[in-house]
Amino acid sequence: MTELSPLALEQWCNDYLKAKEFKDYCPNGLQVDADTPIKKIVTGVTATKNLIDAAIAQNADALLVHHGYFWKGEPEPLTGMKGKRIRSLFQNNISLFAYHLPLDAHPVVGNNAVLADLLDLEVVGALYPEEKHPVGNIAQCEPISIEAFIEKVTQKLQRTPTHISAGNSMISKVGICTGGAQDMIEQAANMGCQLYISGEISERTTHSARELEIDYLACGHHATEMGGIQALGEVIASTLGVQVSFIDDPNPA
């Protein structure tokens, strides 16, 4: 069975995702180095205690997630909940890897790209065209009623999105940015989209959608960001020959 060092896996992921080209809110790459050869990887959206426990149960050597630790502005001491999580990783010889914006933006395994493909949308550009690696995209589809599109989203994501209607009965141009990107709705409207899709909704989002005359679908932060980490894991397994499995820790948000 193939095995990798933590640094070798980090280097491959960094190169594939072009991680060093992003300014992010957290460190991308190897966040906890257990210094143990990696034969089995568990992937998941967020490095929760539940996911760590599942990785331990599967005798994994590494945990690869979209939401890791050490976010900008959070307390630095390794105490409380974060301390327990990291202690559990070290005690069980599990390295932690996390990729945030690089995994949102990747044109093949990125969260936006995978979600667009799932919803039969074709990515045709960037919400912010000046960005080198866009974290938000513009997509097109054959004209479809908003009701039919919501049915598709509900079926594919296994959850009913929150819909803020602005009166667009048919859609064909869609802005998309997974996770907590609801405030990009104004840019989506500026780019001529009839619909904007993200994960979360704020109180202000409702007013923005109505006044900008763009429909909005809040499809769930977790639900919209499950695809990218799974797709990355599949590429790692096929390319590097290590065992990779995805574990979901459901989250209604």
Side-chain angles (χ1 to χ4, degrees):
M1 179 182 294
T2 301
E3 66 178 43
L4 301 166
S5 71
L7 291 178
L9 179 58
E10 178 186 43
Q11 186 62 59
W12 186 92
C13 290
N14 284 352
D15 291 344
Y16 183 73
L17 297 172
K18 295 182 170 59
K20 299 302 182 182
E21 299 182 16
F22 288 81
K23 292 183 179 180
D24 212 333
Y25 313 103
C26 61
N28 288 297
L30 182 60
Q31 292 190 339
V32 176
D33 183 2
D35 196 23
T36 300
I38 296 171
K39 300 178 182 178
K40 185 172 185 179
I41 301 170
V42 162
T43 63
V45 177
T46 302
T48 62
K49 180 182 184 300
N50 284 343
L51 188 60
I52 293 170
D53 289 344
I56 294 169
Q58 290 204 8
N59 296 313
D61 308 300
L63 187 58
L64 174 62
V65 299
H66 180 48
H67 301 135
Y69 306 147
F70 311 111
W71 297 94
K72 183 178 179 179
E74 75 174 18
E76 295 179 356
L78 301 181
T79 59
M81 180 176 66
K82 184 167 66 174
K84 291 178 181 178
R85 290 172 170 180
I86 292 175
R87 184 163 57 250
S88 185
L89 290 168
F90 276 128
Q91 289 174 341
N92 291 279
N93 299 313
I94 298 175
S95 294
L96 173 67
F97 300 79
Y99 289 93
H100 185 232
L101 292 183
L103 190 58
D104 289 319
H106 195 274
V108 178
V109 301
N111 287 318
N112 293 328
V114 174
L115 182 61
D117 185 63
L118 184 68
L119 299 178
D120 300 318
L121 298 170
E122 179 186 3
V123 173
V124 295
L127 274 178
Y128 295 90
E130 71 279 4
E131 289 182 337
K132 182 178 181 180
H133 299 294
V135 296
N137 294 106
I138 295 173
Q140 291 182 342
C141 63
E142 292 296 321
I144 183 174
S145 71
I146 189 69
E147 292 82 6
F149 190 79
I150 291 172
E151 287 182 11
K152 179 182 291 188
V153 171
T154 301
Q155 177 187 10
K156 296 293 187 178
L157 296 183
Q158 293 297 295
R159 58 176 290 153
T160 302
T162 298
H163 175 213
I164 304 302
S165 175
N168 292 295
S169 60
M170 300 291 293
I171 62 161
S172 60
K173 188 174 184 180
V174 180
I176 182 171
C177 190
T178 64
Q182 59 268 46
D183 288 336
M184 289 186 186
I185 188 171
E186 184 169 358
Q187 179 64 9
N190 291 339
M191 297 296 285
C193 298
Q194 299 110 4
L195 172 68
Y196 179 57
I197 298 172
S198 190
E200 298 185 15
I201 186 169
S202 301
E203 188 271 348
R204 61 188 175 273
T205 316
T206 297
H207 308 301
S208 296
R210 292 170 178 167
E211 294 176 35
L212 294 167
E213 298 181 348
I214 179 172
D215 281 55
Y216 180 64
L217 292 182
C219 301
H221 195 136
H222 180 86
T224 59
E225 297 193 328
M226 290 174 61
I229 199 68
Q230 292 183 71
L232 177 60
E234 290 167 2
V235 172
I236 290 172
S238 63
T239 303
L240 302 181
V242 294
Q243 185 178 351
V244 182
S245 60
F246 172 78
I247 295 176
D248 186 29
D249 182 13
N251 187 335

